[in-house]
């Protein structure tokens, strides 16, 4: 059988190669090895799970902001407990990935002792895939909530100017014999990362993703990004969810909020001051551990056994599509657009490190 034709616009990298590349570039730019490993792991894990809008493609803008002094490579992350189950964390403008992991570690520590722990973080930066911080909680046997605010991208419902961010939220719960349930989503129809990816790749966006600067629906990602806005899910419902992510992420933490969070692509003269909220909770606070595991397994099985609508072969749980993509990409490699890899190889050249090792075919 003949080998499949290579796609000239698509290349593949193993997770190991992508991680090694990211660590080396970050370290060469003055990021401590421990923090470089955290950032690299978060970016590559996003690519593995199919959340490639928040993967290695973001590395060039992070490095640009790092070189401009807008990201602090060596923050002193010292959570301060305000009650036995709540702490505040000043991120000192460090990498959001490092801040997020430290915050969730503190939330888990409090939850182990008291059953629940919450951490509010300020002076942070873009932290990528929200599931990066819920997954460690689930692995520790905890339920988790992760909220963040973001730079303006979306009007409040009924408005026409950017004010709210595509503020992500993630909720996760461990199960018994089944995989955990992990919901990670934006209150926008499509996060701006998807629109930027379409722009990089020269692809149109679907109608319903965004409006242009004149308030008209557009399929042109350039028009959507040049003064346009993205749209909330469920009209007023998505707008309301975004407001509460701004309250939990920004208002109560002391971070920027209400349209003040810096856009990492445009605000090249000031820090972002992103705010986050992290919660970890033991799932057996109200019923026994065995009862919780049995009850959530029963819920999962009832959802999976529900009658299927026309056109559906199965019912998937939140996080299950990402799990399947991760399994495939760990075997066949992570696909990247050639234009994205060109920017990554340019960063390797600037840093004087080895380029990302890629193949023009899926990895056997």
């Amino acid at each position: 059988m003949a080998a499949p034709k290579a796609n000239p616009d698509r290349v593949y990298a193993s997770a190991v190669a992508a991680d090694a590349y990211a660590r080396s570039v970050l370290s060469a730019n003055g990021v401590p090895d421990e923090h470089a490993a955290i950032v690299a792991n978060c970016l590559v894990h996003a690519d593995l799970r199919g959340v490639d809008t928040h993967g290695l493609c973001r590395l060039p803008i992070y490095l640009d902001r790092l070189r401009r002094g807008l990201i602090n490579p060596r923050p002193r992350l010292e959570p301060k407990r305000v009650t036995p189950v709540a702490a505040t964390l000043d991120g000192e403008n460090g990498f959001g990935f490092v801040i997020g992991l430290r915050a969730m570690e503190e939330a888990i520590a409090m939850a182990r002792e008291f059953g629940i722990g919450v951490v509010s973080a300020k002076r942070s930066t873009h932290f990528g895939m929200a599931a990066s911080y819920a997954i460690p909680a689930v692995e520790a046997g905890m339920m988790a909530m992760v909220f963040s605010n973001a730079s303006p991208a979306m009007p409040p419902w009924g408005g026409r100017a950017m004010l709210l961010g595509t503020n992500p939220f993630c909720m996760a719960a461990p199960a018994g014999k089944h995989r955990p349930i992990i919901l990670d989503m934006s209150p926008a129809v499509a996060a701006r990362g998807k629109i930027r990816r379409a722009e990089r790749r020269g692809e149109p966006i679907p109608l319903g993703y965004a409006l242009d600067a004149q308030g008209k629906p557009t399929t042109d990602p350039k028009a959507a990004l040049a003064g346009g806005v993205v749209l909330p899910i469920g009209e007023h419902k998505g707008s309301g969810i975004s407001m509460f992510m701004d309250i939990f992420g920004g208002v109560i933490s002391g971070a920027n909020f209400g349209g003040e969070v810096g856009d990492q692509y445009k605000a090249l003269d000031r820090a972002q001051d992103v705010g986050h909220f992290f919660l970890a909770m033991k799932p057996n606070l109200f019923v026994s551990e065995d009862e919780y595991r049995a009850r959530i397994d029963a819920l999962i099985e009832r959802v999976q056994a529900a009658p299927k609508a026309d056109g559906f072969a199965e019912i998937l749980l939140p996080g299950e599509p990402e799990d399947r993509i991760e399994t495939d990409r760990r075997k066949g490699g992570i696909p990247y657009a050639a234009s994205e890899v060109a920017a990554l190889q340019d960063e390797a050249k600037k840093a004087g490190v080895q380029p990302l090792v890629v193949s023009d075919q899926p990895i056997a």
Side-chain angles (χ1 to χ4, degrees):
M1 184 182 291
K5 268 189 170 181
N7 180 346
D9 297 322
R10 186 63 52 90
V11 295
Y12 299 83
S14 70
V16 171
D19 184 80
Y21 159 82
R23 288 190 192 208
S24 63
V25 169
L26 286 159
S27 296
N29 277 273
V31 180
D33 289 347
E34 181 183 0
H35 289 188
I38 292 170
V39 176
N41 179 67
C42 289
L43 294 175
V44 174
H45 199 196
D47 280 333
L48 283 169
R49 290 180 67 80
V51 191
D52 34 21
T53 55
H54 288 51
L56 277 190
C57 68
R58 296 266 186 164
L59 192 53
I61 188 60
Y62 298 144
L63 293 172
D64 179 67
R65 293 186 70 83
L66 179 69
R67 290 189 288 260
R68 291 173 184 269
L70 300 174
I71 293 179
N72 175 8
R74 300 175 182 272
R76 295 165 298 171
L77 300 179
E78 300 172 352
K80 293 180 172 57
R81 295 197 183 181
V82 295
T83 79
V85 297
T88 179
L89 177 60
D90 183 344
E92 296 189 345
N93 299 319
F95 278 102
F97 310 97
V98 179
I99 295 163
L101 189 61
R102 180 66 189 92
M104 184 52 85
E105 285 173 350
E106 187 71 11
I108 291 170
M110 290 185 285
R112 283 199 175 112
E113 187 173 359
F114 300 107
I116 192 167
V118 295
V119 177
S120 179
K122 64 181 180 180
R123 288 215 298 162
S124 185
T125 58
H126 188 258
F127 75 172
M129 179 178 72
S132 295
Y133 317 103
I135 289 172
V138 166
E139 290 173 345
M142 305 283 179
M143 303 178 77
M145 293 184 183
V146 178
F147 306 150
S148 181
N149 65 3
S151 58
M154 189 167 69
W157 186 246
R160 61 184 178 86
M162 287 190 290
L163 176 68
L164 302 173
T166 55
N167 302 332
F169 62 98
C170 179
M171 301 180 189
K177 61 185 178 182
H178 296 290
R179 57 169 298 282
I181 301 173
I182 301 172
L183 174 68
D184 182 2
M185 61 179 284
S186 160
V189 174
R192 276 186 303 175
K194 288 187 177 180
I195 297 173
R196 288 196 181 94
R197 179 182 62 188
E199 181 187 34
R200 286 193 306 271
R201 297 181 178 182
E203 299 169 349
I205 56 174
L207 272 176
Y209 270 25
L211 305 178
D212 63 18
Q214 285 71 48
K216 296 179 180 178
T218 182
T219 60
D220 181 356
K222 286 184 169 55
L225 293 170
V229 295
V230 299
L231 296 172
I233 56 171
E235 301 179 341
H236 59 284
K237 298 176 184 179
S239 179
I241 290 170
S242 181
M243 281 189 66
F244 266 94
M245 296 306 98
D246 204 11
I247 292 167
F248 275 92
V251 173
I252 67 172
S253 67
N256 279 341
F257 68 95
E260 295 175 338
V261 174
D263 185 325
Q264 63 181 342
Y265 290 91
K266 298 176 182 176
L268 301 180
D269 58 350
R270 67 181 180 95
Q272 287 187 277
D273 194 6
V274 181
H276 313 304
F277 176 89
F278 304 85
L279 177 146
M281 185 180 82
K282 286 183 178 178
N284 62 344
L285 290 183
F286 311 110
V287 296
S288 71
E289 181 78 15
D290 288 344
E291 188 177 356
Y292 164 78
R293 301 283 179 176
R295 288 170 69 84
I296 198 163
D297 279 350
L299 171 63
I300 289 169
E301 289 160 13
R302 290 172 192 173
V303 168
Q304 291 174 329
K308 288 173 276 295
D310 286 348
F312 288 84
E314 58 182 332
I315 295 174
L316 300 178
L317 294 164
E320 197 167 4
E322 292 87 345
D323 284 350
R324 293 184 180 185
I325 293 170
E326 181 171 354
T327 297
D328 290 342
R329 291 186 173 185
R330 285 195 182 277
K331 293 176 183 175
I334 301 167
Y336 293 107
S339 58
E340 293 165 342
V341 171
L344 297 176
Q345 307 301 38
D346 185 54
E347 290 295 343
K349 187 175 180 180
K350 287 179 188 174
V353 300
Q354 292 297 310
L356 174 64
V357 177
V358 297
S359 167
D360 61 0
Q361 299 274 0
I363 299 164

